[in-house]
C-alpha cells in the first residue's frame, strides 16, 4: 500500500540531506522507500523514518516496482540510469544536469510550474541547478505580478555545491590555516595549504580551482565558449525554461565563497509593469515558502548562517534601483542542499505521487 519511492545516490551530500527531509516529514505517502547507491556504498545500513534500510547496488532490477525514483548522482550516472528507471516503469526525478534542457523533460519548481509534472514523455522530470533554484520561488512570484524582463545576478555559492568533496576541502583548508595570519602577503594561503598537504587547485585534486578558505573564487563549473562558466549558462537557460520566458535577458557571474552550505544571490531584476518595494515585499511575504527578512535598521537581512538547515528561501535588502526604472535589487539566500537540491526533488516526487 502506497507508492514505492527510490533514492539513487543515498549516501552523497544531497542523498543524506534527502533522508533528513524524509525523516522530518510528519507523514509520507510511500509504502516503501528503497535506497540505492554505487557498489562501493551498497550494503550500508541507514536509518529512514526509524527503520534500518540496507543500501542496494544500482542495477536495472532495483527499479522493478518503483513508482518514483529520485536521482542525486553525477550527470553521467543519471544520463545512463534515469532512462533505465523510466523503462522499468518509474517516474525519474533527476537532480543532475543531464536532462534539464531536453525539450521532452519538464524542469520543475513546484511554486512556479507544478502543472508540468504530468507532461513527461520520457518518464523523466528534471530538478534545476541549485543556484538557479535558490531564486526561482521569489522570481516566479514577482514575475506573475510584475512581468519580469531581465535578471542580472551575482552568486555567492557554498562549498557544498560541489558535494561532500567540497565540504571536506573547505574544512581541510580551514584546519590548515587555523590560527595562521595568512592572506596578508600575496599568495601565501596557497603555500601554507600546499605545505600542510592540502590540495590546492583542480590539478591537485581540489574541487575548487583556487584556495577557498579566506578567499573568493569567481568560478563554478566548467569552461564554456567566450569565457563563460557552465554554472552561469545554467542560471540563464534554466531560469528561462522554468519561468516560461524564452527571451528573458539574463547575465550571471557565479562566485564560490568559503561558506559550507547555502547559496546567496544578489539580483538586479527589471520588470515590464510598475513595481515598488512595498508591492514586492507584499507579494513575496504572501508566498508560503518565502521569508522576507528586510529591516536593515535592525540589522535584519538574509545570511547563509541564518538560512542553512531551513526550508524557506529568505529574501531581503529589497531596494528600488536608483538609476533603473522598475528595477529591484534583492539579496536571496537558499539552502543549496535543501530547496536547492533534495527538498525540491522531494517536493516534485510528492507532487508526482499526488497526481497519481
Ligand atoms: C555548485 N550549483 O554550487 C553547483 C552544483 O548543475 O546541479 C550543482 C551543479 C548542477 O557547484
Amino acid at each position: 500500500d502506497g507508492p514505492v519511492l527510490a533514492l539513487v545516490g543515498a549516501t552523497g551530500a544531497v542523498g543524506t540531506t534527502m533522508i533528513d527531509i524524509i525523516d522530518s516529514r510528519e507523514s509520507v505517502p510511500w509504502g516503501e522507500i528503497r535506497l540505492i547507491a554505487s557498489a562501493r556504498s551498497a550494503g550500508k545500513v541507514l536509518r529512514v523514518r526509524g527503520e534500518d534500510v540496507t543500501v542496494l547496488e544500482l542495477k536495472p532490477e532495483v527499479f522493478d516496482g518503483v513508482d518514483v525514483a529520485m536521482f542525486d548522482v553525477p550527470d553521467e550516472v543519471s544520463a545512463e540510469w534515469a532512462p533505465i528507471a523510466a523503462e522499468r516503469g518509474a517516474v525519474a526525478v533527476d537532480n543532475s544536469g543531464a536532462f534539464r534542457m531536453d525539450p521532452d523533460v519538464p524542469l520543475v519548481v513546484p511554486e512556479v510550474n507544478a502543472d508540468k509534472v504530468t507532461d513527461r514523455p520520457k518518464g523523466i522530470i528534471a530538478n534545476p541547478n541549485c543556484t538557479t533554484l535558490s531564486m526561482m520561488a521569489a522570481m516566479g512570484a514577482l514575475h506573475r505580478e510584475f512581468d519580469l524582463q531581465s535578471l542580472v545576478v551575482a552568486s555567492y555559492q557554498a562549498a557544498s555545491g560541489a558535494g561532500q568533496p567540497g565540504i571536506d576541502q573547505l574544512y581541510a583548508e580551514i584546519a590548515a590555516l587555523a590560527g595562521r595570519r595568512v592572506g596578508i602577503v600575496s599568495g601565501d594561503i596557497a603555500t601554507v595549504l600546499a605545505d600542510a598537504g592540502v590540495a590546492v587547485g583542480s590539478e591537485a585534486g581540489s574541487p575548487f580551482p583556487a584556495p577557498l578558505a579566506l578567499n573568493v573564487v569567481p568560478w563554478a563549473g566548467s569552461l564554456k565558449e567566450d569565457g563563460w562558466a557552465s554554472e552561469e549558462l545554467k542560471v540563464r537557460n534554466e531560469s528561462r525554461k522554468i519561468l516560461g520566458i524564452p527571451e528573458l535577458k539574463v547575465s550571471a557571474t557565479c562566485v564560490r565563497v568559503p561558506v559550507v552550505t547555502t547559496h546567496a544571490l544578489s539580483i538586479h531584476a527589471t520588470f515590464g509593469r510598475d513595481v515598488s518595494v512595498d508591492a514586492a515585499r507584499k507579494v513575496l511575504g504572501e508566498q508560503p515558502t518565502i521569508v522576507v527578512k528586510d529591516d536593515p535598521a535592525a540589522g535584519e537581512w538574509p545570511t547563509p548562517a541564518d538560512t542553512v538547515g531551513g526550508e524557506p528561501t529568505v529574501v531581503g535588502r529589497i531596494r528600488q534601483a536608483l538609476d533603473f526604472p522598475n528595477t529591484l535589487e534583492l539579496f536571496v539566500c537558499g539552502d543549496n542542499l535543501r530547496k536547492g537540491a533534495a527538498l525540491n526533488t522531494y517536493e516534485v516526487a510528492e507532487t508526482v505521487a499526488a497526481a497519481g
Side-chain angles (χ1 to χ4, degrees), residues 75 95-97 100 127-131 157-163 220-221 231 234 238 256 263 336:
D75 291 5
N95 188 36
S96 85
R100 290 177 187 146
N127 194 64
N129 164 277
C130 47
T131 309
Q157 296 183 218
S160 58
E231 186 86 350
K234 287 177 185 179
E238 295 179 22
R256 190 79 62 183
H263 287 354
N336 54 298

Side-chain angles (χ1 to χ4, degrees), residues 27-324:
S27 66
V28 295
W30 317 108
E32 180 192 338
I33 297 173
R34 230 172 259 184
L35 303 182
I36 300 165
S38 64
R40 195 162 37 90
S41 301
K44 277 189 185 167
V45 177
L46 301 177
R47 295 284 286 178
V48 184
R49 295 188 73 80
E51 284 180 23
D52 287 340
V53 181
T54 303
V55 177
L56 305 173
E57 184 182 344
L58 181 57
K59 288 184 177 161
E61 50 275 21
V62 294
F63 295 106
D64 289 344
V66 170
D67 296 285
V68 183
M70 306 184 294
F71 283 78
D72 286 311
V73 293
D75 291 5
E76 63 281 5
V77 180
S78 282
E80 181 182 350
W81 287 92
I84 293 171
E87 252 167 48
R88 299 230 162 197
V91 175
V93 184
D94 178 37
N95 188 36
S96 85
F99 299 99
R100 290 177 187 146
M101 297 315 295
D102 184 326
D104 290 329
V105 173
L107 183 60
V108 177
V109 179
E111 292 94 325
V112 183
N113 60 352
D115 56 310
K116 294 277 191 287
V117 296
T118 49
D119 182 13
R120 44 169 203 255
K122 291 189 170 167
I124 300 172
I125 299 169
N127 194 64
N129 164 277
C130 47
T131 309
T132 314
L133 194 36
S134 298
M135 63 173 172
M136 278 303 103
M139 287 305 119
L142 293 174
H143 173 54
R144 282 194 294 274
E145 205 66 26
F146 305 114
D147 179 27
L148 186 63
Q149 300 287 309
S150 74
L151 282 174
V152 181
V153 176
S155 72
Y156 305 75
Q157 296 183 218
S160 58
Q164 194 60 46
I167 299 172
D168 294 343
Q169 175 72 23
L170 179 57
Y171 278 124
E173 293 184 10
I174 290 170
L177 295 171
R180 305 284 298 262
R181 294 179 66 82
V182 292
I184 302 165
V185 179
S186 150
D188 62 359
I189 294 175
T191 310
V192 171
L193 291 177
D195 287 351
V198 177
V200 177
S202 315
E203 277 174 22
S206 168
F208 309 117
L212 187 58
L214 302 179
N215 207 8
V216 161
V217 182
W219 194 256
S222 57
L223 179 61
K224 299 293 177 194
E225 225 174 295
D226 295 328
W228 289 98
S230 56
E231 186 86 350
E232 292 159 350
L233 301 183
K234 287 177 185 179
V235 169
R236 178 171 181 257
N237 296 333
E238 295 179 22
S239 295
R240 289 174 162 189
K241 182 167 175 178
I242 297 159
L243 295 168
I245 320 173
E247 304 301 321
L248 183 67
K249 292 178 185 162
V250 185
S251 203
T253 299
C254 289
V255 181
R256 190 79 62 183
V257 294
V259 163
V260 178
T261 301
T262 290
H263 287 354
L265 295 104
S266 165
I267 303 169
H268 173 97
T270 299
F271 298 90
R273 290 199 277 276
D274 284 350
V275 68
S276 69
V277 170
D278 285 347
R281 263 199 204 119
K282 181 167 183 290
V283 167
L284 293 170
E286 286 166 357
Q287 308 307 312
T289 63
I290 291 178
V291 168
V292 177
K293 195 172 178 191
D294 192 16
D295 187 356
E300 291 279 318
W301 40 63
T303 69
D306 293 331
T307 304
V308 62
E311 298 199 349
T313 302
V314 188
V315 185
R317 299 298 327 278
I318 307 168
R319 289 150 289 154
Q320 164 65 50
L322 295 178
D323 298 317
F324 300 87

